[in-house]
Amino acid sequence: MKKTLIGAITTALVVGAASTTFAAANPFSDVSSDHWAYDAVTQLAADGVIEGYGDGTYRGQRNITRYEMAQMIAKAMAKGDVGATDKALIDRLAAEFSDELNSLGVRVSNLEKHADMVKWQGEMRYTYQSNRWETAPGTSNYRNNVNENLLRLEPTAEVNDHWHINARLDASVDMSKDSSTQVRLQRAWAEGKYGRFVAKIGTFPDLTSYDRNMMFFNEMSGVELNFGNVLQAQIRAARLNTSDNNRYDDSLAANRLAVLNNTARQGRGFNANDTMNFQSIALTYKPGKFSFTGAYYHFNSDIFRNAAYSRSMDKDDANIWEVASSYRFDKNVGLTAAYLRNKDADFFNHSHVIHLDYKGSKKNDKGSWGAYVSYRYQGANVSIDGANDGAMYNTKGWEIGAQYTLMKNVQIKGIYFNGKKLEDDRKAEKLFGRVELFF
């Protein structure tokens, strides 16, 4: 909605600043002494916030442009004697007119930081998946299709200069059944930054440092400590809820893995309500184009007591070692390789990936795009909660994907996986598509 020049200044900018002193002499011929904004206009003119026109008029009843408003905000920002209330008001206006202020050479990043204590962002996305695999040699493929619409809200709240509160709220609709979930608090954590030291406490994302998600692609509840620059260290102690883990929650996958060489699980394991205790330490060295990571993970849970994990079915620990390396050839091309092994599992006890990526799409950059090709081998007893947008749990094979930014904050993504199940070497295939709208 357009504002007049007088209304914009007196009701949305620095009325409080003007009212703290007596009005100066009137420099404008078209603002009479009995006008309701006389004191504010004359004081702002005296302070240099407004200038008027060369013919001595103010023309306060005309509509103003955003650029003109930004000029007045910039001058108000330069004033150092405004009160706390007016300073907060100016900061909020600076955040609103940040693009115009930037064009005037006015830096507003610090003002934006304090303009609102709570900021919201999120996305709405539609996802289609088609999982296909052979149930027996020579039979047609079993198919499991997913049509989901998801709304995600991600608030961030400033506590002080070092600490912020972050959260994620999700609600989804199964479009094939027209059934929806309740809004769920998916993540909530406090994050403190002190130079190169970062601490997270609560339920936070559990991405791995080299970002290929062979071990984790969800969230965990506990404590995470990160510190370092070229040499980075990460220490975590947390719990994982296996009811959110497709590896254990998918009944079909559970039944497939629970029967190994015709050995039944005998009623144990694959408890979808179980929780894993988890500790880890990782070191990452990034001297330049190279990146090297070494990590150790320890899990403890009764969920491992099954025939698909060990022959004795009495183990409840997983001790997993991981090594990974990445190299950026240039700004467009990167190569990543990783290997993980669980020394306690008798079956499906290693995972590895070779991943080549080209360019990358940015949600704010219309027309940007990226593509990749990977060979993924995801052993179910070592990739505890890995990504499965493409390769599924306990499968091996090739995965290709691409992402494109249709317009600002609108992206499309496609993934195709073609491989085999590790437990019986039968064909496994997956189609994955997603449209994301960010706000």
Side-chain angles (χ1 to χ4, degrees):
M1 182 178 67
K2 293 183 177 180
K3 294 179 179 292
T4 64
L5 195 54
I6 288 179
I9 292 178
T10 57
T11 63
L13 187 54
V14 285
V15 172
S19 63
T20 59
T21 61
F22 292 105
N26 181 14
F28 305 121
S29 61
D30 58 345
V31 181
S32 62
S33 60
D34 59 351
H35 194 282
W36 64 271
Y38 177 83
D39 288 345
V41 170
T42 54
Q43 184 61 50
L44 290 171
D47 290 341
V49 175
I50 58 176
E51 297 176 354
Y53 291 84
D55 61 359
T57 61
Y58 182 57
R59 305 180 191 177
Q61 300 304 323
R62 72 178 184 86
N63 292 328
I64 64 171
T65 67
R66 288 181 62 89
Y67 187 79
E68 289 174 321
M69 188 68 183
Q71 288 179 310
M72 290 182 285
I73 294 170
K75 292 175 181 178
M77 290 166 61
K79 291 171 57 64
D81 57 349
V82 298
T85 300
D86 297 317
K87 178 63 165 58
L89 192 58
I90 294 171
D91 288 352
R92 286 196 291 272
L93 285 165
E96 167 64 25
F97 290 85
S98 60
D99 291 340
E100 290 79 10
L101 286 166
N102 285 331
S103 71
L104 294 173
V106 180
R107 295 184 58 85
V108 298
S109 58
N110 290 334
L111 296 173
E112 289 177 324
K113 175 182 176 183
H114 298 288
D116 293 303
M117 299 301 290
V118 180
K119 294 184 178 180
W120 290 82
Q121 63 181 11
E123 65 174 302
M124 187 178 77
R125 72 187 192 196
Y126 166 73
T127 302
Y128 169 79
Q129 296 184 53
S130 180
N131 305 294
R132 310 170 184 181
W133 54 85
E134 289 180 335
T135 55
T139 63
S140 60
N141 290 348
Y142 174 86
R143 295 192 181 191
N144 177 28
N145 294 338
V146 175
N147 286 276
E148 181 191 61
N149 189 25
L150 179 140
L151 176 66
R152 172 168 291 164
L153 300 175
E154 296 181 301
T156 300
E158 178 183 330
V159 177
N160 52 45
D161 289 340
H162 295 288
W163 286 89
H164 285 75
I165 303 297
N166 306 275
R168 171 179 286 182
L169 300 164
D170 285 357
S172 62
V173 177
D174 183 342
M175 299 184 70
S176 61
K177 300 178 181 178
D178 193 30
S179 61
S180 60
T181 65
Q182 294 182 340
V183 177
R184 178 180 180 183
L185 181 62
Q186 195 77 12
R187 299 173 181 174
W189 78 96
E191 183 169 325
K193 296 182 179 179
Y194 296 87
R196 301 294 183 182
F197 176 79
V198 179
K200 298 178 182 179
I201 304 172
T203 303
F204 46 83
D206 59 10
L207 297 176
T208 50
S209 58
Y210 61 91
D211 197 27
R212 292 295 170 256
N213 311 316
M214 288 294 287
M215 173 62 79
F216 295 127
F217 193 54
N218 208 331
E219 54 267 332
M220 62 177 63
S221 296
V223 177
E224 176 182 292
L225 305 177
N226 299 273
F227 46 91
N229 185 14
V230 176
L231 179 62
Q232 301 173 3
Q234 182 186 77
I235 300 172
R236 291 181 287 193
R239 284 178 291 276
L240 296 172
N241 184 350
T242 59
S243 65
D244 292 331
N245 187 331
N246 291 336
R247 153 73 168 87
Y248 302 100
D249 194 36
D250 186 328
S251 60
L252 181 59
N255 290 331
R256 281 168 43 198
L257 295 177
V259 180
L260 181 69
N261 296 328
N262 297 319
T263 302
R265 58 177 170 163
Q266 300 178 5
R268 295 194 293 175
F270 297 102
N271 177 2
N273 294 318
D274 203 355
T275 301
M276 294 184 184
N277 294 316
F278 156 67
Q279 303 86 38
S280 74
I281 182 170
L283 295 175
T284 299
Y285 179 55
K286 294 183 176 181
K289 292 184 177 181
F290 278 102
S291 174
F292 304 92
T293 297
Y296 167 74
Y297 309 87
H298 175 260
F299 300 89
N300 179 265
S301 174
D302 285 339
I303 204 168
F304 297 122
R305 295 178 181 271
N306 64 78
Y309 187 78
S310 69
R311 295 182 178 88
S312 62
M313 295 193 295
D314 61 357
K315 294 182 178 180
D316 58 6
D317 288 305
N319 290 285
I320 300 171
W321 292 92
E322 177 181 26
V323 291
S325 180
S326 298
Y327 180 74
R328 298 300 307 182
F329 295 93
D330 53 35
K331 65 178 182 179
N332 292 326
V333 182
L335 180 67
T336 299
Y339 179 84
L340 302 87
R341 188 171 188 88
N342 182 352
K343 72 181 189 66
D344 291 298
D346 293 326
F347 312 103
F348 318 123
N349 57 12
H350 69 277
S351 293
H352 58 266
V353 62
I354 300 176
H355 180 100
L356 180 68
D357 61 84
Y358 180 70
K359 289 189 174 181
S361 64
K362 299 178 181 179
K363 64 182 182 180
N364 292 323
D365 185 6
K366 177 183 177 181
S368 63
W369 64 279
Y372 73 88
V373 58
S374 292
Y375 181 82
R376 299 177 76 93
Y377 186 108
Q378 297 192 160
N381 291 324
V382 65
S383 291
I384 298 297
D385 198 5
N388 65 339
D389 287 349
M392 296 167 279
Y393 289 94
N394 219 44
T395 60
K396 61 180 179 180
W398 290 95
E399 178 180 310
I400 59 174
Q403 191 170 38
Y404 179 75
T405 303
L406 285 171
M407 60 190 73
K408 183 179 179 180
N409 292 330
V410 180
Q411 291 185 326
I412 57 173
K413 177 194 295 185
I415 299 174
Y416 174 67
F417 170 75
N418 191 303
K420 294 184 177 181
K421 298 181 291 180
L422 295 183
E423 68 269 25
D424 55 21
D425 208 39
R426 293 172 187 163
K427 185 176 180 180
E429 190 177 22
K430 185 171 189 176
L431 296 174
F432 177 96
R434 176 171 288 167
V435 179
E436 296 176 283
L437 293 86
F438 300 94
F439 56 87

